[in-house]
Amino acid sequence: MSTSTPPPLPHDPNLKSQQPDPPVPLSSSADFPPDPLLKSGSFITANSPTPTPTPNPTTTTTTATATAASTTTSAHTQNKKSPNQATSNGSESQSTPAKRRPSTVPPPETLEWLPSGWLVEDRVRSSGATAGLIDRIPEVTKAEIILNCGIRYYASGKALLQRRNRYYFDPSSARRFRSKKEVLYFLETGTPRKRKKGAENSNADVDKSGTKGKTVPAPTPTPMPAPAPAPLNFDYCNAPEKIQWVLTKTSEDSWTPFIGKDKVPENSKREWAVAFTFLSTSNGGNKMS
Amino acid sequence: MERGNNVDHQQLKPSVVLTGTAKEGSVGPPVGLVDIGVSEGAYLFRIALPGIRRDQSKVKCEMHRDGKVHIQGVITDGTTLKDSNAYQMKVQQLCPPGPFTISFNLPGPVDPRLFSPSFRPDGILEVVVMKYKMHTTPPHT
């Protein structure tokens, strides 16, 4: 590297100011014996144990710093060019998201629960299987999903809510909400609803929801927590005194429970089986904790 | 297998009570050898029931809430020979035909409803039954 660079002029006044860091270039330039810059009277001790500059070869120190200075100045010029490019690119890229941002419009249909002055923003999905669709489900359907869905359908109902892309925007407080429930909660309490999952509240979502809206699941009001498939009617506390299990249908290893002389109905036997599998699986989880 | 390392024989040996023909088969593969295991939420027991057929033995397992287990059944005349009467038995170590019961206690109370039996084809009855916790509330509350 030092061999390829053109020999700098030793009487350049700028080089005198570059003196304070000679040790590193000196030791590095000592590895290149055929240096054309070295005059006949000057020498470099190649086996000098310490990298500290010896006072004798003054000419070598100047030349070494000269090469170092030339490389640093060239690096400076390169660095001066690249930030200009970066800023020009940045200004171009900054203009594009403004176009991409969907326009907030007043509500097309009157939402009587929404205060005047609020804006409704319908987002068009830009990616995914349903790109280009404004997919939202009416509030009635949403309530029905939450209230009526069983355990099995709870997840799918949540997924439906997740695809909803309508936002409610309050210009006075500069807050954006994803659901009617969030808006009503904010109007009632003056504070945004806090999420159960995730550490951030919806106040931070006002800033970030534009980018995170697709990944963060929509906050769903949960009237009942969705447990694992737990038996619904199983009374854990009142176990009967004794049950007689009789091996019936002997070809299939099928057992029929009796309480006293009475055969236990098939549906309650099934309920017991569900409770058994539920407990045996959940007990595996308890072992871990 | 791992028996003898983990099983507390002092606790279990006196707790198994055999009646009927199971008591008489004193040598050989007797009826009523028991394994008992415990997990976090359940008990496991295995009972050797050699010579007991699913289709004829009328196996019943009475599960009490306090952990008491009664197993009863009938050991049938286990011969497939047509002319078994032609033989006069010289050694008889297998359990003779007839009814039997096997009784023992599990280490703690159980829920008799949460009972998962399996009568394996090799003549071993394997049962997992959940522990009964008096103050246990359902896990989802």
Side-chain angles (χ1 to χ4, degrees):
Chain A
M1 54 183 188
S2 62
T3 58
S4 63
T5 52
L9 298 175
H11 55 271
D12 196 348
N14 289 332
L15 296 180
K16 300 296 181 182
S17 63
Q18 298 288 337
Q19 291 271 349
D21 51 355
V24 177
L26 175 67
S27 62
S28 63
S29 63
D31 294 333
F32 303 102
D35 199 334
L37 298 176
L38 291 177
K39 301 302 180 183
S40 61
S42 63
F43 63 93
I44 296 174
T45 58
N47 53 357
S48 65
T50 59
T52 54
T54 54
N56 288 333
T58 54
T59 56
T60 60
T61 55
T62 55
T63 54
T65 51
T67 57
S70 68
T71 56
T72 51
T73 49
S74 64
H76 271 299
T77 53
Q78 286 177 357
N79 285 335
K80 276 179 186 174
K81 283 178 185 175
S82 56
N84 287 333
Q85 293 174 352
T87 50
S88 63
N89 288 334
S91 62
E92 288 175 2
S93 65
Q94 279 174 0
S95 63
T96 46
K99 297 172 189 172
R100 235 185 273 133
R101 189 168 296 150
S103 61
T104 56
V105 293
E109 67 268 31
T110 57
L111 299 170
E112 62 275 4
W113 52 271
L114 197 68
S116 61
W118 284 58
L119 301 176
V120 174
E121 176 181 311
D122 280 328
R123 270 180 181 265
V124 180
R125 288 174 68 99
S126 59
S127 64
T130 58
L133 298 176
I134 301 176
D135 46 3
R136 59 192 155 85
I137 54 176
E139 297 293 327
V140 179
T141 315
K142 183 173 121 190
E144 277 177 358
I145 288 172
I146 293 164
L147 292 178
N148 297 336
C149 69
I151 297 154
R152 181 173 289 180
Y153 299 108
Y154 185 82
S156 62
K158 204 171 176 182
L160 271 179
L161 295 180
Q162 217 168 339
R163 288 166 47 206
R164 199 167 45 86
N165 279 354
R166 168 166 280 199
Y167 298 94
Y168 304 100
F169 184 70
D170 178 22
S172 61
S173 67
R175 290 184 195 278
R176 185 168 59 177
F177 302 94
R178 287 207 188 90
S179 67
K180 174 184 176 181
K181 180 143 185 162
E182 279 190 340
V183 172
L184 294 180
Y185 185 88
F186 175 73
L187 292 175
E188 190 178 344
T189 63
T191 56
R193 273 172 66 86
K194 292 205 171 181
R195 298 272 191 79
K196 283 182 179 177
K197 288 184 178 179
E200 53 197 11
N201 53 13
S202 57
N203 197 0
D205 286 334
V206 174
D207 302 324
K208 296 177 181 177
S209 61
T211 57
K212 294 177 65 178
K214 286 160 192 167
T215 58
V216 175
T220 55
T222 56
M224 284 194 304
L232 297 176
N233 301 320
F234 192 80
D235 185 5
Y236 286 88
C237 296
N238 296 317
E241 182 62 39
K242 71 171 184 179
I243 292 178
Q244 199 172 49
W245 292 79
V246 179
L247 181 58
T248 53
K249 248 198 217 174
T250 50
S251 57
E252 299 174 16
D253 190 26
S254 153
W255 295 72
T256 305
F258 287 83
I259 296 180
K261 293 284 183 183
D262 300 328
K263 184 182 174 184
V264 173
E266 193 66 27
N267 54 355
S268 42
K269 182 194 171 187
R270 229 175 280 129
E271 189 73 28
W272 297 354
V274 171
F276 181 88
T277 52
F278 171 72
L279 280 179
S280 52
T281 52
S282 67
N283 278 329
N286 287 338
K287 253 182 226 174
M288 301 299 290
S289 62
Chain B
M1 300 175 283
E2 54 196 5
R3 187 202 315 205
N5 294 329
N6 299 332
V7 177
D8 187 357
H9 287 278
Q10 297 297 325
Q11 182 189 355
L12 294 181
K13 255 189 179 174
S15 66
V16 180
V17 177
L18 306 176
T19 66
T21 61
K23 195 178 176 183
E24 295 170 19
S26 54
V27 195
V31 169
L33 289 181
V34 175
D35 280 356
I36 296 178
V38 186
S39 81
E40 183 95 0
Y43 296 114
L44 159 77
F45 58 88
R46 296 189 198 97
I47 302 130
L49 298 175
I52 291 166
R53 300 185 184 176
R54 284 181 184 176
D55 50 348
Q56 299 173 22
S57 294
K58 301 171 189 170
V59 176
K60 296 177 187 172
C61 184
E62 200 175 273
M63 190 68 242
H64 290 247
R65 194 172 58 193
D66 58 0
K68 200 179 292 177
V69 183
H70 287 291
I71 294 163
Q72 53 178 295
V74 177
I75 294 179
T76 56
D77 194 3
T79 179
T80 54
L81 297 173
K82 288 178 182 175
D83 53 350
S84 63
N85 289 332
Y87 297 92
Q88 184 189 359
M89 300 307 293
K90 293 296 185 184
V91 179
Q92 203 156 18
Q93 290 180 339
L94 297 177
C95 294
F100 70 93
T101 65
I102 302 166
S103 304
F104 58 96
N105 280 303
L106 291 177
V110 298
D111 191 329
R113 300 167 295 177
L114 304 176
F115 184 89
S116 173
S118 166
F119 191 16
R120 303 187 335 204
D122 56 359
I124 289 178
L125 172 63
E126 191 172 51
V127 176
V128 173
V129 60
M130 286 291 163
K131 288 180 183 174
Y132 181 55
K133 295 163 185 168
M134 294 295 186
H135 304 289
T136 296
T137 53
H140 59 269
T141 57

